[in-house]
């Protein structure tokens, strides 16, 4: 009897471990480096599978950097004049609330053109 319970419990545990995509994931953008000039975010984002409900946490020094969520055209042109949202708290958590593309960059100086920019694709 106890063996049967243990078997069911361990099967359930294996199922949980084997299906992590069921749960929302929090990504720290740039991993240990955070949101900064020193990271290639195109490389960071490659191969990641973002889904609705996942979160992105941007960690940065607000003395040096900020975070703008922008439109695709402003992203492509590094245009900081009309952000959808601006964040400057140094520890910004963004919930990927719907499927589609999300665009971010740092609006300070020439940081965007120096590749401090991130585009993510979120699946349903
Ligand atoms: Cu910056």
């Amino acid at each position: 009897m106890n063996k049967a319970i243990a078997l069911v419990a361990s099967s359930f545990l294996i199922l949980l471990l084997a299906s992590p995509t069921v749960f929302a994931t929090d990504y720290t953008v740039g991993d240990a480096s955070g949101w900064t000039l020193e990271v290639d975010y195109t490389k960071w984002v490659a191969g990641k599978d973002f889904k609705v409900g996942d979160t992105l946490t941007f960690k940065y020094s607000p003395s040096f950097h900020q975070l703008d969520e922008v439109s695709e055209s402003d992203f492509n042109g590094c245009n900081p004049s009309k952000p959808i949202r601006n964040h400057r708290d140094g520890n910004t958590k963004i919930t990927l609330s719907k499927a589609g593309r999300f665009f971010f960059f740092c609006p300070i100086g020439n940081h965007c053109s120096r590749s401090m920019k991130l585009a993510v694709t979120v699946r349903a």
Side-chain angles (χ1 to χ4, degrees), residues 35-37 64-66 106-109 111-112 116:
W35 183 234
T36 176
L37 284 167
F64 298 104
H65 305 295
Q66 294 179 17
C106 176
I108 303 297
H111 295 188
C112 174
M116 195 173 170

Side-chain angles (χ1 to χ4, degrees), residues 20-27 48-57 93-98 121-123:
T21 55
V22 173
F23 307 99
T25 304
D26 179 55
Y27 295 91
K48 289 189 170 63
D49 181 29
F50 300 100
K51 60 193 184 304
V52 173
D54 286 352
T55 53
L56 300 176
T57 297
K93 185 178 264 198
I94 305 278
T95 300
L96 302 171
S97 54
K98 57 180 169 39
T121 302
V122 179
R123 69 177 165 88

Side-chain angles (χ1 to χ4, degrees), residues 18-83:
S19 52
T21 55
V22 173
F23 307 99
T25 304
D26 179 55
Y27 295 91
T28 299
V29 175
D31 300 314
S33 301
W35 183 234
T36 176
L37 284 167
E38 316 306 324
V39 178
D40 180 344
Y41 294 101
T42 306
K43 199 181 272 181
W44 180 82
V45 87
K48 289 189 170 63
D49 181 29
F50 300 100
K51 60 193 184 304
V52 173
D54 286 352
T55 53
L56 300 176
T57 297
F58 293 81
K59 293 183 176 169
Y60 51 99
S61 166
S63 308
F64 298 104
H65 305 295
Q66 294 179 17
L67 176 68
D68 276 4
E69 184 178 347
V70 295
S71 69
E72 182 166 16
S73 60
D74 286 347
F75 177 85
N76 290 331
C78 284
N79 173 17
S81 67
K82 44 184 167 57

